[in-house]
Amino acid sequence: MTLDAVLHRWPMAVHKTELVHGVLLFAGHFNERDVATAQRTYPGRRIILNADHRLEVHPAGTEPARPLID
């Protein structure tokens, strides 16, 4: 993994992460592999890949999470 890949695929800086209505929103261009990684990183949380290819980490719950852009 290169530094470029780390900075663009898994943004950890404050300027690429937002908290919107209790949902962590990671800016970037993610895919299903990233969803699987996020599920291991945030156990019990509901992970969504939205239409903009951003990664959403919703709080735990029993109902399916809905993307923020809906």
Side-chain angles (χ1 to χ4, degrees):
M1 181 164 278
T2 66
L3 177 60
D4 187 50
V6 170
L7 292 176
H8 289 95
R9 289 189 64 79
W10 275 100
M12 296 299 178
V14 174
H15 66 280
K16 292 194 175 196
T17 307
E18 297 180 54
L19 184 62
V20 180
H21 302 294
V23 176
L24 278 172
L25 179 63
F26 291 94
H29 190 81
F30 297 98
N31 60 30
E32 292 300 324
R33 241 179 34 182
D34 299 310
V35 171
T37 301
Q39 288 170 336
R40 291 189 304 270
T41 304
Y42 300 99
R45 307 285 193 230
R46 298 173 293 166
I47 312 299
I48 293 179
L49 183 63
N50 68 23
D52 293 338
H53 297 281
R54 293 181 179 188
L55 198 63
E56 298 180 11
V57 180
H58 291 256
T62 57
E63 298 178 10
R66 295 185 55 179
L68 292 172
I69 58 175
D70 277 354

